[in-house]
Amino acid sequence: MDITGIESVVAGVADLAEARRFFEIYGLAETEAEANKARFEATDGSSVVLRQLDHSSLPPADQGVQLAIWGVAGEAELERVAAELGRDRPVTRDADGMVTSHDDDGHGIAFRVTKRRPFAARKVGLNVAGLPPGRINTRADFDDHGPACGMGHIVYWSPDPERSNRFYVERLGFRTTDRFEGNGGVFSRAVGHKEHHSIFFLGRPGQPPAFQHLEFGFPDVQDVIAGGHKLLKAGFVSRMGPGRHEAGSNWFWYFDSPLGGAVELSADIDIVDDDWVPKVWASMRDAAGWHTSFLPERSRP
Ligand SMILES: [Fe+2]
């Protein structure tokens, strides 16, 4: 299955205005703005669709991420996915041809011919020792970050990550790239997506499956630091970071988000192909790498 990666999520939010404020500062561009709906997108067209929930009839299950939309390489691949899923679960088609179903944990999933578009990379002004300067007589600008380049991965809590991951590997052809011992978590990537992971199931025994976080890639670590700093100044809550993972190598900073889990700023994640050698990490702590907890007294005013 030539699945090209996750490229959109649809989420219900209790406070659309606050959710708009979050994603604007985070580094996405608002492309649709209605009274009860908003759409934000990254440079490559990957998107977050927000729907204002009706408080008077608000089942908890409708809050947060409701649907993860995956791109596929073409119409033939879309038909293959629809046929595969139709073997054992309901599949619906909308007017645009999008195929909607659910995974083995009950998470809403959908597939469409990819709408991701190529884009020109922004110049990164890094001074690397031994190479010609990338930035001369110019300071790093803490107001300069983003926009986000594209959605990279989604992460779910799972009471049984190996079981949750098996659906994506066995039914959708994903490749597992790393895992934690003792069924603590599993990373996998869609075949047409070359980043370290497109999806990650993080173990949480005895608890129901749930959305954990969503990640967008930015051009470089400057965006992670400056973007995170802007979110802090705007009053949003840092959950972890800034730091750098060992599993995936990416720079990261996680913030509580209106999606019912965290949203991650990320840069410089490992690019892999089928020559990648998966590793079994002892634990989440073992793979988390270096990170600092945010210390409020050290932030700029
Ligand atoms: Fe992540």
Side-chain angles (χ1 to χ4, degrees), residues 153 155 197 200 213-215 245 250 252 254 264 266 269:
H153 58 255
V155 176
H197 53 287
F200 171 43
H213 81 257
L214 181 71
E215 178 256 17
H245 287 305
N250 53 306
F252 65 82
Y254 298 90
E264 177 184 10
S266 173
I269 197 166

Side-chain angles (χ1 to χ4, degrees), residues 48-73:
V48 173
V49 177
L50 304 170
R51 292 191 174 132
Q52 172 74 58
L53 295 167
D54 177 358
H55 291 257
S56 64
S57 58
L58 180 59
D62 285 348
Q63 299 182 44
V65 171
Q66 298 299 302
L67 187 65
I69 301 174
W70 296 82
V72 302

Side-chain angles (χ1 to χ4, degrees), residues 189-200:
R189 68 175 180 87
V191 167
H193 184 230
K194 302 301 184 190
E195 296 184 358
H196 176 269
H197 53 287
S198 316
I199 196 165
F200 171 43

Side-chain angles (χ1 to χ4, degrees), residues 7-277:
E7 59 181 49
S8 187
V9 297
V10 179
V13 295
D15 186 342
L16 184 59
E18 184 69 354
R20 278 197 164 107
R21 194 171 76 90
F22 178 90
F23 283 106
E24 181 181 347
I25 296 169
Y26 173 81
L28 300 182
E30 188 164 21
T31 56
E32 291 178 28
E34 300 172 21
N36 58 359
K37 183 182 171 190
R39 179 182 181 278
F40 285 82
E41 74 173 26
T43 309
D44 71 351
S46 51
S47 62
V48 173
V49 177
L50 304 170
R51 292 191 174 132
Q52 172 74 58
L53 295 167
D54 177 358
H55 291 257
S56 64
S57 58
L58 180 59
D62 285 348
Q63 299 182 44
V65 171
Q66 298 299 302
L67 187 65
I69 301 174
W70 296 82
V72 302
E75 293 289 350
E77 287 296 310
L78 189 61
E79 295 309 318
R80 287 183 64 197
V81 170
E84 174 61 31
L85 296 179
R87 288 172 46 214
D88 67 347
R89 62 200 68 209
V91 171
T92 59
R93 307 289 290 254
D94 71 10
D96 294 334
M98 189 162 76
V99 171
T100 302
S101 189
H102 61 80
D103 70 10
D104 279 355
D105 284 350
H107 300 301
I109 53 173
F111 300 84
R112 69 186 186 198
V113 175
T114 182
K115 295 184 179 180
R116 212 183 280 265
R117 53 181 185 253
F119 63 95
R122 193 190 73 201
K123 182 177 182 297
V124 172
L126 285 179
N127 290 330
V128 180
L131 294 178
R135 197 179 71 253
I136 302 178
N137 301 328
T138 305
R139 304 177 198 274
D141 182 352
F142 267 64
D143 290 324
D144 177 25
H145 104 282
C149 297
M151 189 181 292
H153 58 255
I154 190 166
V155 176
Y156 297 106
W157 293 111
S158 170
D160 185 347
E162 293 289 351
R163 175 187 175 277
S164 303
N165 183 64
R166 203 170 298 134
F167 167 79
Y168 287 87
V169 171
E170 295 181 356
R171 307 292 299 279
L172 298 171
F174 282 41
R175 308 279 201 264
T176 292
T177 50
D178 275 331
R179 54 172 36 93
F180 301 147
E181 285 180 5
N183 201 9
V186 192
F187 299 88
S188 290
R189 68 175 180 87
V191 167
H193 184 230
K194 302 301 184 190
E195 296 184 358
H196 176 269
H197 53 287
S198 316
I199 196 165
F200 171 43
F201 291 100
L202 180 56
R204 194 170 63 167
Q207 298 287 320
F211 169 71
Q212 206 274 343
H213 81 257
L214 181 71
E215 178 256 17
F216 282 86
F218 288 79
D220 82 290
V221 65
Q222 155 72 17
D223 299 278
V224 174
I225 301 297
H229 194 251
K230 285 162 78 172
L231 286 167
L232 277 181
K233 286 197 297 182
F236 293 105
V237 175
S238 170
R239 183 53 54 187
M240 180 178 169
R244 188 168 202 178
H245 287 305
E246 288 194 61
S249 303
N250 53 306
W251 298 98
F252 65 82
W253 201 341
Y254 298 90
F255 281 81
D256 284 350
S257 84
L259 300 184
V263 170
E264 177 184 10
L265 302 109
S266 173
D268 196 20
I269 197 166
D270 288 330
I271 300 298
V272 308
D273 61 20
D274 285 345
D275 290 333
W276 174 258
V277 179

